[in-house]
Amino acid sequence: MATPFEQLATQAAALSAADRERLAELLMASLPDDAGGADEGDQGEVATQDQELQRRVALVESGTARLVAAADVHAQARKIHQR
């Protein structure tokens, strides 16, 4: 027999994408600010990652980044993995 959580999860999964989004927003809003969220250490890491992302986007947008095709990256990874 399914638990109430499992029943609810099954019902939620059957909702339309728009209704699932509304439900997710409602549930997130119902949590206390510190519930399951990032602690101060995690927030610092997120900020650092965000800065790195912004730096890389700026390099691509300015044309100074060295871009490598995915096929080339995959080929190089296969070569390394076969060693």
Side-chain angles (χ1 to χ4, degrees):
M1 180 174 195
T3 66
F5 173 81
E6 291 168 332
Q7 292 172 349
L8 183 58
T10 299
Q11 291 172 350
L15 295 172
S16 69
D19 284 344
R20 288 193 317 272
E21 180 179 3
R22 287 179 40 217
L23 179 59
E25 289 171 355
L26 175 77
L27 292 172
M28 291 298 293
S30 73
L31 294 173
D33 288 341
D34 61 349
D39 63 24
E40 289 182 22
D42 290 341
Q43 291 174 1
E45 184 176 337
V46 168
T48 300
Q49 292 171 351
D50 188 53
Q51 290 171 350
E52 177 64 12
L53 178 60
Q54 290 177 17
R55 184 186 73 79
R56 291 180 185 200
V57 167
L59 288 173
V60 170
E61 288 177 345
S62 70
T64 58
R66 181 176 162 261
L67 304 178
V68 180
D72 294 341
V73 172
H74 294 172
Q76 184 65 24
R78 279 190 294 278
K79 209 185 263 187
I80 291 169
H81 182 66
Q82 291 175 353
R83 290 183 187 171

